[in-house]
């Protein structure tokens, strides 16, 4: 198909200083949990995106000097010349696809405790370290020589970056991760010398480092400034008017302005808390201050919205991190008129959780993310079938849909049997919950792809038992029948069922999602799951008119969602809705009119009135069909069945991302050779030095 002329403007070249990008699709710097540990994996991931049509591909932050590093997080390093080869491998992979390579040089200063190098952190003032972990460490206020050293270190890193083949070299002043932003901020900069006080003084370091970088590499490489335009703290923090003043004073100094919100949790808000293009109000007007191109983000997946950003004079370049992870081939699909094939980001921030847990990033929509090099998975392509096997997939949740889709793409004949009357499983149910409608894209994209495949047949309202499966005579059977929430309180803390009286009105998320509501007004919700479901159920109950006491053994609500950058927003929303929050407590026992709470530290108990108890705890796999089939394994051969495999939540309940990954993995591996005890992926090993 041909490109719709409405989108021609997105494919115009844009001059960025001495270089020119072939189009307006700009993958801004983003972390991936692999960094210096997995350089080949990162190079392959960025190279795939370049093949997908992105005009510019940037790295994550690259630490420029050993005196500022952010262990335990795993980013890139450019400490000395020995780091150049792995970075050049990435720029070479990007250049091979006719795209520009950008690198985000970073000196974290107060944002790093230097746990690896044990160097004393530096900052504009004597203040505690600003990290995720409240490290008992302070930064030392930089003196004049420290500032001269920092300028030299940044210049040296820029020169190394140029030698490594990068076309766009960043001066980083955003997300609360950069010492340059700390100098800009009145909160962190309490100096009284020429680097503190007035805005002109606080921006001096930004100006000097930008000019140093231009002098060092600006003949052939563009210099970009990535700056936080607002910290959403009013005038107590950096705010739009102040940063517009900064940009106005330095308008023509860099070759590109990359504008963001700060901190990271504001710049990468989940779809639960913000819509696409939510940063528009903060970046509108920046282009009037400079003739240089401006790039910004907004979880853009709609081509029409992208066009409006350009035609309205808001942005010159369409920045994306998460959408480029969900669909590395998004630009090509727009260019080829295949909008229905775009795998839209759902804004869940599972990708962020990879970096936050120091593990390879994963993606709910794109199961190939993080597996491009080590397993050879491609986000768009998969090898052709290797036999005439027919595959029965039982269950059309995220795992079953992805297995059926990927098997169908390979060319296998697939039957997808769903016991219910709609496709999507847990995704179909959960996307109806407050503010989770975007999650329906997991189902919608896969159903759309399956509907194009003549070799995949879908059967609704088709609950199967083991005898029926044997009768059908499929060569391979994969069971993806999901899971249910437990009603007995078993989870992280109660490893055996909690004492619950027989007359207690107990509800689970399954009940609430299905529309059931307690009769009484006073509800105790016990969350030992610690992700999004507890908070969402509390919202549902409050909106239904109930008074909710949210109890969790953790020190805060939804504590795992720190990894998706939304814990603070979840807790704030519940507080604003009037939910009573009781942290560090267990439900020790439940009775008809009250529950007994126990302090997680002392065991001291107290009663709390309750008309009903909502348990958001662990889940049980719905694996009965799998177990029944295993019980008659001796009959498989006669029925023509070669294997039966359980995947997704019916194998072990986890995230939607894990279920989608399980579906892709089944499709990749079910006909692959048995590798025995070998490690099923490549890994990069460090060089041993004497």
């Amino acid at each position: 198909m041909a490109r719709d002329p409405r989108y021609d403007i997105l494919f115009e070249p844009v001059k960025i200083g001495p270089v020119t990008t072939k189009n307006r699709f700009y993958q801004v710097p983003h972390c991936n949990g692999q960094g210096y540990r997995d350089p080949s994996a990162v190079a392959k991931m960025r190279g795939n995106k370049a093949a997908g049509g992105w005009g510019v591909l940037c790295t994550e932050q690259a630490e420029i000097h050993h005196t500022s590093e952010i262990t335990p997080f795993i980013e890139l390093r450019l400490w000395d010349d020995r780091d150049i080869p792995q970075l050049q491998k990435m720029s070479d992979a990007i250049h091979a696809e006719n795209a520009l390579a950008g690198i985000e040089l970073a000196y974290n200063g107060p944002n790093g405790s230097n746990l690896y190098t044990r160097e004393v952190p530096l900052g504009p003032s004597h203040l505690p370290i600003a990290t995720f972990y409240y490290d008992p460490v302070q930064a030392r206020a930089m003196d004049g020589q420290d500032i001269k050293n920092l300028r030299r270190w940044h210049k040296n890193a820029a020169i190394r970056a140029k030698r490594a083949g990068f076309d766009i070299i960043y001066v980083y002043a955003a997300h609360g991760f950069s010492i340059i932003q700390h100098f800009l901020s009145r909160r962190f900069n309490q100096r009284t010398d020429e680097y503190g006080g007035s805005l002109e003084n606080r921006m001096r370091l930004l100006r000097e480092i930008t000019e140093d970088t231009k002098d060092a590499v600006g003949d052939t490489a563009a210099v970009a400034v990535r700056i936080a335009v607002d910290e959403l703290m009013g005038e107590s923090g950096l705010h739009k008017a102040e940063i517009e003043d900064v940009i106005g004073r330095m308008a023509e100094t860099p070759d590109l302005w990359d504008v963001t919100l700060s901190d990271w949790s504001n710049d990468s808000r989940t779809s639960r808390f913000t819509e696409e293009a939510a940063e528009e109000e903060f970046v509108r007007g920046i282009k009037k201050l400079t003739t240089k191109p401006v790039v910004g983000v907004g979880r853009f997946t709609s081509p029409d919205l992208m066009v409006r950003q350009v035609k309205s004079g808001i942005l010159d370049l369409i920045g994306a991190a998460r959408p480029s992870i969900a669909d590395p081939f998004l630009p090509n699909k727009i260019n080829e008129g295949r909008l229905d094939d775009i795998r839209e980001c759902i804004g869940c921030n599972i990708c962020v959780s990879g970096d936050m847990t120091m593990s390879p990033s994963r993606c709910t929509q794109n199961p190939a993310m993080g597996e491009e090099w080590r397993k050879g998975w491609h986000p768009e392509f998969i090898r052709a079938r290797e036999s005439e096997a027919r595959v029965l997939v039982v269950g059309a949740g995220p795992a079953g849909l992805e297995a059926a889709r990927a098997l169908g793409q390979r060319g296998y004949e697939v039957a997808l049997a769903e016991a219910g009357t709609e496709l999507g499983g847990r995704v179909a149910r959960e996307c109806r919950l407050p503010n989770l409608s975007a999650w329906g894209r997991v189902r919608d994209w896969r159903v759309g792809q399956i509907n194009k495949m003549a070799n995949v047949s879908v059967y609704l309202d088709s609950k199967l038992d083991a005898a029926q499966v044997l009768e059908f005579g499929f060569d391979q059977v994969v069971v993806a029948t999901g899971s249910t929430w437990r009603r007995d309180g078993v989870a992280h803390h109660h490893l055996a069922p909690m004492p619950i009286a027989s007359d207690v009105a107990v509800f689970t998320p399954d009940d609430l999602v299905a529309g059931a509501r307690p009769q009484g007004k006073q509800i105790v919700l016990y969350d030992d799951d610690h992700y999004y479901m507890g908070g969402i159920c509390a919202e549902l109950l409050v909106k239904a008119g109930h008074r909710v006491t949210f109890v969790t053994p953790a020190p805060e609500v939804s504590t795992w969602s720190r990894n998706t950058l939304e814990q603070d927003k979840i807790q704030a929303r519940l507080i604003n809705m009037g939910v009573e929050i009781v942290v560090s407590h267990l439900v020790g026992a439940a009775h008809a009119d009250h529950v007994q709470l126990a302090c997680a530290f002392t065991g001291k108990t107290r009663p709390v009135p309750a008309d009903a108890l909502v348990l958001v705890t662990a889940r049980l796999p719905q694996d009965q069909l799998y177990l029944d089939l295993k019980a008659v394994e001796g009959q498989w051969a006669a029925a023509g069945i070669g294997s039966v495999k359980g995947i997704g939540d019916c194998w072990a309940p986890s995230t939607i991302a894990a279920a989608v990954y399980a579906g892709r993995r089944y499709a990749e591996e079910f006909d692959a050779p048995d590798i025995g005890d070998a490690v099923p992926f490549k890994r990069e090993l460090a060089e041993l030095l004497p």
Side-chain angles (χ1 to χ4, degrees), residues 47-107:
N48 274 355
K49 290 187 186 183
W54 298 86
V56 177
L57 286 302
C58 296
T59 67
E60 64 269 41
Q61 61 172 285
E63 301 164 358
I64 66 170
H65 198 260
H66 68 275
T67 55
S68 182
E69 47 89 11
I70 57 171
T71 301
F73 300 100
I74 301 170
E75 312 295 340
L76 292 175
R77 288 175 175 166
L78 191 47
W79 292 359
D80 59 33
D81 288 358
R82 289 174 296 173
D83 294 307
I84 291 176
Q86 64 169 260
L87 290 169
Q88 186 165 355
K89 184 170 187 176
M90 188 191 312
S91 68
D92 286 347
I94 294 168
H95 291 152
E97 301 293 344
N98 191 31
L100 299 180
I103 184 170
E104 183 177 70
L105 303 182
Y107 193 90

Side-chain angles (χ1 to χ4, degrees), residues 210 214 223-225 250-257 290 292:
T210 304
K214 289 275 287 185
V223 175
V225 168
M250 288 183 56
E252 307 304 306
T253 306
D255 299 306
L256 171 78
W257 289 98
T290 176
K292 300 303 177 70

Side-chain angles (χ1 to χ4, degrees), residues 167-455:
D167 311 288
I168 302 173
I169 297 175
Y170 267 77
V171 175
Y172 188 32
H175 298 123
F177 295 158
S178 162
I179 197 169
I180 301 174
Q181 182 181 344
H182 296 133
F183 266 84
L184 281 171
S185 169
R186 286 184 301 274
R187 294 189 301 126
F188 291 95
N189 186 342
Q190 301 168 5
R191 305 174 71 94
T192 58
D193 62 3
E194 67 271 28
Y195 288 93
S198 68
L199 179 62
E200 184 63 33
N201 283 352
R202 285 183 282 119
M203 63 180 283
R204 188 181 305 277
L205 184 63
L206 171 64
R207 186 190 298 275
E208 290 176 342
I209 287 182
T210 304
E211 291 173 347
D212 291 343
T213 307
K214 289 275 287 185
D215 290 343
V217 302
D219 54 337
T220 59
V223 175
V225 168
R226 196 177 203 194
I227 192 166
V229 298
D230 208 304
E231 290 182 306
L232 305 187
M233 300 174 65
E235 294 191 2
S236 64
L238 295 173
H239 55 92
K240 184 180 179 183
E242 187 172 51
I243 297 303
E244 284 181 340
D245 198 352
V246 172
I247 294 174
R249 296 181 191 213
M250 288 183 56
E252 307 304 306
T253 306
D255 299 306
L256 171 78
W257 289 98
D258 183 336
V259 290
T260 75
L261 289 181
S262 189
D263 61 10
W264 187 18
S265 66
N266 292 323
D267 196 42
S268 295
R269 287 173 288 180
T270 61
S271 58
R272 183 174 171 186
F273 292 96
T274 193
E275 300 294 330
E276 185 176 356
E279 298 192 16
E280 182 177 317
E281 63 178 295
F282 299 98
V283 302
R284 186 185 294 112
I286 298 294
K287 270 184 54 59
K288 296 178 181 178
L289 305 174
T290 176
T291 65
K292 300 303 177 70
V294 175
V295 61
V297 297
R299 198 165 43 83
F300 296 117
T301 61
S302 164
D304 294 301
L305 190 50
M306 297 176 192
V307 168
R308 186 173 68 77
Q309 299 294 306
V310 179
K311 287 189 173 181
S312 299
I314 299 168
L315 299 173
D316 297 291
L317 296 154
I318 304 302
R322 292 171 293 174
S324 74
I325 294 170
D327 197 335
F329 279 65
L330 185 152
N332 280 0
K333 291 174 182 178
I334 298 174
N335 190 38
E336 296 163 4
R338 298 191 293 121
L339 304 190
D340 290 345
D341 290 334
I342 294 174
R343 197 167 47 234
E344 293 183 279
C345 172
I346 71 170
C348 65
N349 278 5
I350 278 291
C351 54
V352 175
S353 75
D355 188 66
M356 292 293 288
T357 56
M358 290 68 76
S359 58
S361 286
R362 71 293 310 261
C363 176
T364 301
Q365 279 283 57
N366 173 19
M369 175 62 188
E371 306 296 342
E372 300 92 344
W373 176 78
R374 70 177 191 171
K375 284 194 171 182
W377 291 8
H378 193 279
E380 289 298 303
F381 310 119
I382 189 169
R383 73 185 189 282
R385 67 181 184 182
E386 297 179 1
S387 72
E388 297 299 317
R390 299 181 307 136
V391 185
L392 172 64
V393 180
V394 185
L401 284 175
E402 176 63 13
R405 183 210 63 79
L407 288 165
Q409 185 182 10
R410 291 191 61 189
Y412 284 102
E413 181 183 342
V414 180
L416 176 61
E418 165 58 40
T421 56
E422 67 174 341
L423 302 177
R426 62 179 289 193
V427 171
R429 297 187 294 272
E430 293 183 17
C431 74
R432 300 188 184 106
L433 294 171
N435 307 113
L436 292 188
S437 60
W439 292 28
R441 294 172 173 180
V442 175
R443 168 202 58 202
D444 297 344
W445 183 78
R446 285 163 179 81
V447 171
Q449 298 299 303
I450 287 171
N451 286 342
K452 299 177 182 181
M453 298 177 181
N455 55 318

Side-chain angles (χ1 to χ4, degrees), residues 3-10 303-304 307-308 311 334 339:
R3 180 173 79 215
D4 189 321
R6 291 180 298 168
Y7 307 129
D8 288 350
I9 194 171
L10 299 176
D304 294 301
V307 168
R308 186 173 68 77
K311 287 189 173 181
I334 298 174
L339 304 190

